[in-house]
Amino acid sequence: MKNLIFFLFVSTLSWGQNATRQFVSVEKSNNGYKVVVSDGEYYFSAYSGKMVETTFIPNGQKHLLNSHAVVAAVKTETLQLSQSTGMVRLTTAAGLKVNIQQKPFQISYWYQDKPVVSENWGYEKAEDSEKIHFNLTADEMLYGAGARALGMNRRGYRLQLYNRAHYGYEEHSELMNYTMPMVVSNKCYAIHFDNAQIGYLDLDSKKNNVLTYETIGGRKTYQVIVGDDWKDLLSEYTSLTGHQPMPPRWAFGNFASRFGYHSESEARNVVNQFRKDSIPLDAIIFDLYWFGKEIQGTLGNLSFYTDSFPHPKEMINDFKNQGVKTVLITEPFILTTSKKWQEASDKKLLGTNEQGESFTYDFYFGNTGLLDVFKPETRTWFWDIYKDLHNYGARGFWGDLGEPEVHPAKLKHVVGYADEVHNIYGHEWAKLIYEGYKKDYPNERPFILMRSGSTGTQRFGIIPWSGDVNRTWGGLRPQMEISMQMGLQGIAYMHSDLGGFGGPNDDPELYVRWLQYGVFQPIFRPHGQEEVPSEAIFKDEKTKQLAKEAIELRYQLLPYNYTLAFENHVNGTPLMRPIFMEDTSSHWSDSLATEYMWGSCFLVKPITKKIGENTLPIEVVHAPAGTWYSLHSGKVLKNMRPTDLTYVPGSKEKEYYETNTYQVTKGQRFFMDGQLTRIPVLVKGGSFVPMSPIIQSTEAYVDSLVTIHYYDGPELTESSGMWYEDDGLTNEAFEKGLFKLLHMNMSQNKKKTKLSFEPTYGSIMSQHSFKFDVMIHSSRIPKSISVNGTKMKVDVIDQKIKLPMALTEKVQNIQIIW
């Protein structure tokens, strides 16, 4: 690589920078402050009191201003300058401070008088590279660098920043479809390297407390972001790079998908069978056979192959009438054998060679050119195709192979060579579709399924998936880590092909376990190569029933999941969360990467091994201190054998239980049923969980049929929750005032619990009412219950109490005397 730039973090804060660098001056600049040194200029600016940007411009180089990632505006008066002998300080009101030591020259970052990170040697020009060095402490855990399968703590790896598919990966993958130039520390700060060009992140691979960012060129700009806690950190980061729009409500339903549906009749049969079997369904996805009979030779046709799909508009409309949306795959490759090759080449819509001719090359699907999505004319042409498909009735688009899968370094785009823009190709593609919707369908929410992007792509509504994972237990095991890591980097909708994608492995138990996990991942989308059907309707009766139960639970959780989407949209908080995000008092090690929080209420432990691989069908679940319930039984769990655990006569379960049951430091261990019917899902005491009856499509969702489940936490003094509703379709419904929001709060002492429900309505929301039931889960027996001061006669059945509620403008209260 040429012109390598290294950002190095070295361990000792007191180690000075390049001894030859001399401080010259500090002065006000347009956006903050400029510090002149002997070999260049530093520019410092702030986006908030907790985000500072640093740019170094070596002598003789230009200031590259454009960022693909950042959308926040610099706050010019946020940084305040102070000086003392040998020291320059730039400080925000929130307490983030840049200390610039003049001799020996060193830049360090502090937050509320505690060290965060510091440059070490600073900029250095080597013979064939550029470097910038920073400090790391010896005890830090490092997350980030995009999607990888490495374990939660990624320290110790040197990771390439080059989006590339890893077909058939399992438990270890160092390079995948979605890389990101970003590092997140367990000390609750992040460093975003604001540069599009390819390179590496070396996360202390030499074991010398050095973190290295390397790139072939571009901006020497990074932002240091701090937070008071994890949610605060992500709120800051997503305000910097943009918030994820709300997906349409139907995106939280079940998808029918495979590689792929060959004909209209096949697709119709699939949808009809879902309805016949009463298995909920909201969308069907068409892979590449919709535009051609064969896998090879057809990319770039981008119009229905009428021999196989003779009546596409009618088909899509019929699906719409059945409550099923249609999603179509597209690719950015225009094969020389495709119907659109001549047009694309004549109009100069493709990447070029040095002579300005369409750059062609061979890859798996055929001889091809690549659309130059950075070129305005190409963007217009490509969007016109999407508009035509939208007019057919398509309501979602799948952008595949968008790394791009094969991207020769000598290929030129209008903005630069391939390696200069490779990692933001998918980012620009998603932007193209998103901006097209904003222009031509401003009230409609797009559904954009893509496997590649960059930092900030979340603001274009990207729904990424974790690539072509192997259809094995090894493929299932890293999926929780991948989604959690991406959530920490602002990409909240990373999900997997449920059941696994690659290989002819037909393992019903694996399929069931993957779907049971999928209930608690952002998107529920079974998908795989067609040798083994990915749809529940084609499974044996036992597997079909278990899959149906998982899908039905997904639909019951619709109001809860939709509220998580709202929380992410407003605050940047991911749907899937490491336990440490919700319980900062405990240290949750890398070994617990397969447990996670789904929102703030559920603790989920997917089962990632065959029952036969365990000694017994019992799962050990680690949980923070407090009261926890089994979602499936609704009963309180104790640090002992739960009442719903099934025992096999003559087994060693009693011995296993007695040997392994003990209290854990700062937490608990529960032993839960590991039979095939369910995975362990715990509900935290103090939680408010809105749930729907089982429905066959999200179009049948009615919020007045929702039950809010409250789970008693006797040890708590207060807790809160919320339930968000809008029409599920209108873009920017919240911003337009087309919503309603129910705030739910609990306050209590040892003898009395008060539950309050307070509605908020958007400025143009016509429906000013909430109607719902409340189900109270508690092992305590109440002496009395009153609603708005009126005592209610209630029955306690199996630790549950059910109450009807109706609200308009006023707060409603439930008071429980224990």
Side-chain angles (χ1 to χ4, degrees):
M1 290 184 180
K2 61 180 181 178
N3 298 326
L4 289 174
I5 300 170
F6 295 74
F7 289 80
L8 303 182
F9 291 74
V10 190
S11 62
T12 313
L13 285 173
S14 61
W15 187 16
Q17 289 195 334
N18 191 323
T20 63
R21 177 164 297 123
Q22 302 297 314
F23 174 87
V24 177
S25 65
V26 58
E27 61 186 74
K28 196 86 169 69
S29 67
N30 290 337
N31 291 326
Y33 287 90
K34 177 174 74 172
V35 171
V36 180
V37 293
S38 55
D39 58 344
E41 297 173 346
Y42 282 96
Y43 286 84
F44 300 92
S45 56
Y47 294 98
S48 77
K50 299 177 182 178
M51 291 188 290
V52 171
E53 178 176 282
T54 300
T55 297
F56 183 70
I57 307 170
N59 289 336
Q61 293 192 19
K62 295 181 179 179
H63 192 174
L64 303 175
L65 296 174
N66 292 335
S67 168
H68 73 279
V70 171
V71 294
V74 168
K75 297 185 177 180
T76 56
E77 301 303 320
T78 298
L79 286 176
Q80 298 299 314
L81 172 68
S82 63
Q83 298 186 69
S84 59
T85 303
M87 183 70 71
V88 173
R89 295 181 181 86
L90 304 173
T91 308
T92 72
L96 179 57
K97 184 182 299 182
V98 185
N99 283 347
I100 304 167
Q101 179 180 287
Q102 296 181 15
K103 190 173 183 178
F105 188 84
Q106 183 180 44
I107 300 170
S108 60
Y109 302 86
W110 297 67
Y111 181 55
Q112 296 181 351
D113 296 324
K114 295 181 180 179
V116 177
V117 69
S118 66
E119 288 194 5
N120 186 278
W121 281 96
Y123 177 80
E124 178 186 5
K125 180 70 172 69
E127 182 178 350
D128 59 353
S129 64
E130 298 174 278
K131 306 177 182 180
I132 298 180
H133 308 266
F134 284 73
N135 294 324
L136 259 187
T137 60
D139 60 342
E140 287 185 71
M141 292 185 184
L142 299 178
Y143 317 118
R148 321 271 176 166
L150 301 170
M152 284 297 288
N153 183 9
R154 294 175 170 180
R155 187 166 182 167
Y157 289 96
R158 182 174 183 262
L159 301 172
Q160 189 175 4
L161 295 173
Y162 188 92
N163 293 346
R164 178 180 291 156
H166 182 175
Y167 290 94
Y169 73 91
E170 294 191 359
E171 294 183 69
H172 186 87
S173 181
E174 296 186 20
L175 184 62
M176 295 174 62
N177 310 76
Y178 203 131
T179 67
M180 299 172 76
M182 181 174 180
V183 178
V184 183
S185 168
N186 70 322
K187 296 182 181 295
C188 211
Y189 74 86
I191 304 173
H192 172 235
F193 300 100
D194 193 359
N195 183 31
Q197 301 194 27
I198 66 171
Y200 287 84
L201 272 173
D202 188 326
L203 309 182
D204 193 23
S205 67
K206 297 178 181 179
K207 311 299 181 186
N208 59 353
N209 296 324
V210 175
L211 169 68
T212 309
Y213 171 70
E214 313 170 24
T215 180
I216 63 169
R219 307 181 79 215
K220 289 163 278 292
T221 296
Y222 61 90
Q223 293 92 26
V224 174
I225 307 138
V226 298
D228 296 325
D229 55 38
W230 287 102
K231 292 181 181 179
D232 185 39
L233 178 67
L234 280 164
S235 178
E236 291 288 325
Y237 172 72
T238 53
S239 69
L240 176 74
T241 59
H243 288 96
Q244 177 97 24
M246 286 285 290
R249 197 194 312 270
W250 61 263
F252 296 94
N254 178 34
F255 288 72
S257 183
R258 66 159 69 177
F259 182 26
Y261 300 120
H262 292 258
S263 68
E264 179 178 329
S265 61
E266 182 182 24
R268 286 181 179 274
N269 289 337
V270 167
V271 171
N272 291 338
Q273 193 63 47
F274 268 98
R275 292 295 179 241
K276 181 180 178 181
D277 291 343
S278 297
I279 298 177
L281 181 68
D282 260 272
I284 182 169
I285 300 181
F286 287 87
D287 212 311
L288 49 76
Y289 295 114
W290 74 268
F291 53 72
K293 187 175 182 180
E294 306 296 336
I295 294 176
Q296 295 176 314
T298 61
L299 294 191
N301 284 344
L302 296 172
S303 61
F304 275 97
Y305 180 60
T306 54
D307 284 1
S308 300
F309 295 88
H311 309 292
K313 281 190 176 181
E314 292 85 346
M315 177 191 71
I316 293 172
N317 189 62
D318 289 345
F319 290 163
K320 176 185 176 183
N321 293 335
Q322 292 175 277
V324 176
K325 309 298 186 293
T326 296
V327 179
L328 300 177
I329 194 173
T330 56
E331 293 91 357
F333 296 96
I334 308 296
L335 298 189
T336 56
T337 55
S338 73
K339 295 177 181 179
K340 288 190 168 51
W341 165 257
Q342 199 61 50
E343 179 188 0
S345 184
D346 290 347
K347 291 183 176 180
K348 301 186 181 302
L349 306 176
L350 306 166
T352 65
N353 58 24
E354 293 288 353
Q355 291 73 42
E357 302 164 337
S358 297
F359 193 113
T360 59
Y361 53 98
D362 293 327
F363 78 139
Y364 172 79
F365 295 94
N367 185 258
T368 194
L370 177 68
L371 288 172
D372 187 353
V373 298
F374 301 93
K375 194 172 186 178
E377 297 85 351
T378 305
R379 298 172 75 87
T380 299
W381 180 86
F382 208 3
W383 173 243
D384 284 343
I385 289 174
Y386 285 115
K387 281 202 298 184
D388 287 343
L389 297 173
H390 187 276
N391 290 337
Y392 266 67
R395 288 300 176 263
F397 296 107
W398 171 11
D400 201 17
L401 312 180
E403 294 79 21
E405 181 160 298
V406 180
H407 201 190
K410 293 183 179 180
L411 185 150
K412 291 182 68 175
H413 293 278
V414 69
V415 295
Y417 283 96
D419 286 351
E420 296 176 308
V421 296
H422 175 82
N423 285 341
I424 60 169
Y425 188 95
H427 177 89
E428 287 294 322
W429 189 8
K431 179 181 179 182
L432 182 162
I433 300 174
Y434 179 77
E435 290 184 342
Y437 266 84
K438 293 276 283 187
K439 173 179 173 287
D440 291 313
Y441 315 110
N443 290 320
E444 183 179 340
R445 300 179 193 177
F447 178 83
I448 304 172
L449 180 68
M450 289 190 174
R451 72 185 190 188
S452 294
S454 186
T455 48
T457 313
Q458 73 275 355
R459 67 178 179 269
F460 304 130
I462 188 174
I463 306 290
W465 82 99
S466 59
D468 294 336
V469 59
N470 225 15
R471 195 176 348 224
T472 60
W473 292 95
L476 170 60
R477 280 190 274 273
Q479 296 308 318
M480 303 94 231
E481 170 208 341
I482 293 170
S483 290
M484 283 190 284
Q485 287 274 359
M486 293 297 278
L488 288 172
Q489 299 168 78
I491 307 297
Y493 287 88
M494 177 60 77
H495 66 286
S496 64
D497 289 342
L498 297 182
F501 176 82
N505 180 28
D506 190 1
D507 184 339
E509 184 179 348
L510 171 65
Y511 178 79
V512 168
R513 292 306 196 197
W514 215 317
L515 264 63
Q516 289 171 339
Y517 154 64
V519 174
F520 303 94
Q521 74 165 11
I523 301 294
F524 192 96
R525 187 183 56 84
H527 180 73
Q529 292 175 334
E530 62 184 333
E531 295 96 330
V532 180
S534 55
E535 305 92 342
I537 56 175
F538 295 114
K539 301 301 181 181
D540 63 84
E541 287 304 314
K542 178 182 177 182
T543 303
K544 181 194 292 189
Q545 181 59 34
L546 291 171
K548 180 181 179 181
E549 291 172 6
I551 295 168
E552 288 175 341
L553 178 57
R554 175 76 177 190
Y555 278 76
Q556 288 178 284
L557 289 171
L558 182 60
Y560 177 81
N561 293 347
Y562 197 67
T563 301
L564 294 186
F566 170 71
E567 188 177 355
N568 170 255
H569 170 59
V570 173
N571 300 320
T573 312
L575 289 74
M576 284 181 69
R577 307 169 187 176
I579 296 176
F580 59 67
M581 185 174 287
E582 291 294 332
D583 183 58
T584 57
S585 64
S586 299
H587 173 74
W588 298 95
S589 70
D590 184 52
S591 63
L592 298 182
T594 56
E595 289 185 20
Y596 63 92
M597 297 296 296
W598 179 245
S600 61
C601 298
F602 295 108
L603 193 159
V604 183
K605 172 67 183 294
I607 295 178
T608 59
K609 292 183 178 180
K610 291 181 75 69
I611 289 177
E613 294 179 26
N614 294 322
T615 306
L616 297 165
I618 298 175
E619 286 295 316
V620 181
V621 182
H622 302 76
T627 301
W628 293 89
Y629 295 74
S630 164
L631 172 64
H632 301 289
S633 71
K635 295 181 180 179
V636 175
L637 295 172
K638 297 181 180 179
N639 199 26
M640 61 178 63
R641 183 173 69 203
T643 57
D644 61 353
L645 190 62
T646 303
Y647 287 90
V648 178
S651 73
K652 295 183 178 180
E653 292 179 48
K654 186 173 185 297
E655 177 185 340
Y656 178 88
Y657 168 78
E658 290 174 348
T659 302
N660 288 279
T661 301
Y662 59 94
Q663 198 75 11
V664 193
T665 304
K666 295 185 179 179
Q668 304 170 77
R669 289 188 182 183
F670 301 117
F671 289 76
M672 301 187 69
D673 193 342
Q675 299 287 353
L676 190 56
T677 54
R678 65 189 63 169
I679 61 172
V681 181
L682 282 62
V683 191
K684 183 170 63 177
S687 295
F688 294 87
V689 181
M691 295 182 70
S692 167
I694 296 170
I695 51 179
Q696 293 301 301
S697 166
T698 58
E699 289 190 2
Y701 173 72
V702 180
D703 63 50
S704 61
L705 299 179
V706 164
T707 296
I708 295 175
H709 295 256
Y710 172 72
Y711 293 84
D712 181 29
E715 74 283 0
L716 302 174
T717 58
E718 61 183 10
S719 69
S720 63
M722 64 178 175
W723 170 25
Y724 175 81
E725 287 291 341
D726 58 28
D727 65 6
L729 294 171
T730 300
N731 190 41
E732 298 180 340
F734 176 68
E735 290 76 11
K736 294 172 181 175
L738 188 63
F739 72 92
K740 59 181 183 177
L741 181 62
L742 187 66
H743 301 274
M744 303 173 285
N745 294 282
M746 179 278 292
S747 59
Q748 69 179 0
N749 54 37
K750 290 183 179 180
K751 295 183 179 181
K752 182 173 66 176
T753 299
K754 179 183 177 182
L755 306 179
S756 64
F757 302 86
E758 182 176 0
T760 298
Y761 301 101
S763 59
I764 63 171
M765 187 67 179
S766 59
Q767 183 192 19
H768 279 216
S769 65
F770 272 101
K771 181 182 178 183
F772 53 91
D773 290 336
V774 175
M775 181 74 75
I776 299 170
H777 300 256
S778 180
S779 60
R780 298 191 284 179
I781 305 298
K783 294 180 180 178
S784 68
I785 297 180
S786 59
V787 176
N788 295 325
T790 302
K791 285 190 176 181
M792 307 289 289
K793 183 178 180 181
V794 297
D795 295 320
V796 180
I797 302 174
D798 207 18
Q799 298 187 9
K800 300 172 186 175
I801 306 163
K802 190 171 185 178
L803 298 166
M805 298 287 285
L807 291 80
T808 53
E809 305 294 334
K810 298 180 179 179
V811 178
Q812 301 284 325
N813 297 308
I814 297 174
Q815 183 169 285
I816 308 169
I817 304 299
W818 304 102

